[in-house]
Amino acid sequence: MSLSAMASTIIDGSVLEGGGQILRNSVSLSSLLSKPVKIEKIRNGRKPPGLRNQHRTGLELAANIASARLSGATNGSTEIEFIPGRINLPNHFTADSVTAGSITLLLQVAFPLLLFSPTKVPESTLTLFGGTNATLAPQVDYTKHVFLPFVQRHFHIEKVSLHIKKRGYFPKGGGEVQFSVTPFWGADQKLRSFSLLERGKVKWIAGVAHYAGLPNAIGQGMVAGATQRLAEAGFGSNTSDSTNTLQIPSSENVDVPVSIQACREPNSLTKGAGSGIVLWAELEGGGIIGGDAVGTKNLPPEQVGRLAAESLIKGLQDGGCVDEWLQDQIIIFMALADGKSEVRCGTSGLTLHTRTAIWLAEQLTNAKFEVEEEESGHVIIRCQGVGYTAPAPPDLTEGM
């Protein structure tokens, strides 16, 4: 029976987080598993509801990669149907949000689709245009320095790279990112499952304070603010401010090196002015914790740096092996991996995005998730993955 004749799985787009994440994960899994989906009540609780330009661009990118038939994907639409075809790799794909819509959210749609091939093929590439650093999505530096290193290490995705060619700040966008990945191929190569239950101490903290179209003092101020706040918590300094509520136990942060670089983008490599800072902490057990902040006109750069540091410190204080943003982004990979994966999250529990990602993975795959809350308050996510491999292409000579 052809895919177009198969009944579409109905996905309620208003469940839990009820936003764009349901769209992204649904069409990614639909494409990989050759399961048509109809998504209803899209962004039902948002004002205004329905698709925005960025969501439509992501759906169109997935449809392009998966040779899918996409209907209903117009701005403002609250219902779409996605009937996947064949993912043809290797290839080069391009998507442009036109606005300052997040490039990293486009990447979340496309990345899983480029990871699997039935036969050995060279790398596939993406060129994505839009916003690189915004407040309502992971900054591209977070994706580069936290998310990608994590999935490379724990799922054994070896050949993947991300290059920031141009920065795109709100509201003009205009950023450009190039991404490439060499897929797993055949029945024997699969995403590896992993166990990450021990955090260990903080090995080091690094970061990048990026800015464009602004004085050098902006970058220097963000670095100074972040460095000072981390020193108050004991990182990179033996002094601490005991009056501050965001403190890390002293055994966690003695002699932890801190290295934050200020990076000014050439005017030719950005459209408009903007700034931001992303920090990340490497943990002995193999986990990574990130924190960030985006610059605004009314916020001194030192305060932007302090906000990023406080975000990182809060994530470390939570006590998990991953931060709240990494939590939900790895769920789809846990579902597709071969074997049982498990990861300890912090005492803040699972985010709504994570719960949504788990719910959706269980709707469309045979992966089985368990969530355990320990007496300490930490939460462990366990998943028996499906061991996904790309299906062999149809034999076009059969029946001739």
Side-chain angles (χ1 to χ4, degrees):
M1 182 171 59
S2 67
L3 286 178
S4 59
M6 292 176 59
S8 294
T9 299
I10 306 298
I11 301 295
D12 185 344
S14 66
V15 166
L16 295 170
E17 185 271 336
Q21 182 194 37
I22 291 179
L23 293 167
R24 293 188 292 274
N25 287 18
S26 290
V27 297
S28 292
L29 290 172
S30 168
S31 301
L32 292 172
L33 301 171
S34 298
K35 289 185 176 181
V37 293
K38 179 181 287 187
I39 308 173
E40 302 175 339
K41 301 179 183 178
I42 294 171
R43 302 180 71 251
N44 203 49
R46 304 295 200 264
K47 293 183 179 180
L51 297 178
R52 299 185 68 179
N53 193 70
Q54 178 176 286
H55 308 114
R56 179 183 53 77
T57 302
L59 291 171
E60 291 170 349
L61 174 60
N64 186 20
I65 297 173
S67 307
R69 193 174 75 196
L70 174 64
S71 58
T74 57
N75 288 2
S77 172
T78 57
E79 181 176 310
I80 64 102
E81 187 167 29
F82 187 91
I83 301 175
R86 180 182 173 188
I87 299 173
N88 289 307
L89 304 181
N91 217 323
H92 175 73
F93 302 97
T94 301
D96 187 349
S97 68
V98 181
T99 63
S102 172
I103 283 176
T104 58
L105 297 184
L106 294 178
L107 184 58
Q108 286 182 18
V109 174
F111 184 20
L113 306 188
L114 305 183
L115 262 180
F116 305 94
S117 172
T119 58
K120 186 175 182 179
V121 296
E123 68 180 16
S124 289
T125 57
L126 283 170
T127 299
L128 302 174
F129 299 94
T132 57
N133 302 89
T135 56
L136 298 179
Q139 295 193 55
V140 70
D141 308 86
Y142 179 94
T143 298
K144 182 173 183 176
H145 295 290
V146 179
F147 170 73
L148 286 180
F150 185 94
V151 297
Q152 286 181 277
R153 177 182 306 161
H154 294 291
F155 295 104
H156 271 210
I157 303 172
E158 296 181 355
K159 297 180 179 179
V160 59
S161 67
L162 185 154
H163 177 53
I164 306 168
K165 296 198 68 177
K166 292 184 179 181
R167 294 276 178 181
Y169 294 104
F170 182 84
K172 293 185 177 181
E176 179 181 349
V177 169
Q178 289 195 342
F179 179 81
S180 67
V181 59
T182 301
F184 293 94
W185 60 278
D188 297 327
Q189 294 193 16
K190 301 175 182 179
L191 289 175
R192 192 182 74 170
S193 56
F194 71 97
S195 177
L196 183 56
L197 299 179
E198 299 299 327
R199 194 181 85 158
K201 296 180 181 179
V202 180
K203 293 168 62 178
W204 43 259
I205 293 172
V208 56
H210 55 84
Y211 60 108
L214 298 168
N216 289 337
I218 299 296
Q220 295 166 359
M222 288 189 291
V223 172
T227 301
Q228 181 182 14
R229 181 63 191 95
L230 290 169
E232 291 169 3
F235 294 110
S237 171
N238 290 326
T239 63
S240 64
D241 176 7
S242 60
T243 64
N244 199 294
T245 58
L246 286 177
Q247 297 298 320
I248 306 297
S250 59
S251 61
E252 290 278 330
N253 55 23
V254 173
D255 299 325
V256 173
V258 174
S259 176
I260 307 171
Q261 305 298 319
C263 178
R264 178 172 185 162
E265 305 293 339
N267 290 340
S268 61
L269 296 182
T270 186
K271 188 175 182 179
S275 65
I277 178 170
V278 175
L279 307 173
W280 57 94
E282 183 84 16
L283 306 178
E284 284 183 338
I288 309 177
I289 304 293
D292 75 327
V294 175
T296 63
K297 289 182 178 180
N298 299 322
L299 203 60
E302 291 81 6
Q303 185 62 24
V304 176
R306 289 185 68 88
L307 287 174
E310 289 183 2
S311 173
L312 177 66
I313 293 166
K314 184 178 179 182
L316 290 170
Q317 189 182 48
D318 206 34
C321 299
V322 294
D323 60 48
E324 61 179 299
W325 303 282
L326 199 50
Q327 252 187 45
D328 71 270
Q329 291 185 68
I330 63 174
I331 294 299
I332 189 171
F333 298 93
M334 294 174 73
L336 296 170
D338 185 31
K340 188 173 185 177
S341 296
E342 53 186 3
V343 60
R344 175 171 277 111
C345 302
T347 56
S348 295
L350 301 188
T351 66
L352 195 56
H353 277 89
T354 302
R355 291 165 53 201
T356 305
I358 290 173
W359 172 80
L360 192 55
E362 291 186 327
Q363 298 297 304
L364 293 175
T365 77
N366 292 322
K368 303 298 181 184
F369 284 86
E370 296 178 1
V371 177
E372 174 191 350
E373 184 171 347
E374 299 180 305
E375 291 184 4
S376 64
H378 293 89
V379 175
I380 297 177
I381 303 174
R382 294 187 173 92
C383 174
Q384 185 66 43
V386 299
Y388 178 82
T389 57
D395 184 356
L396 300 180
T397 65
E398 186 176 346
M400 292 180 63

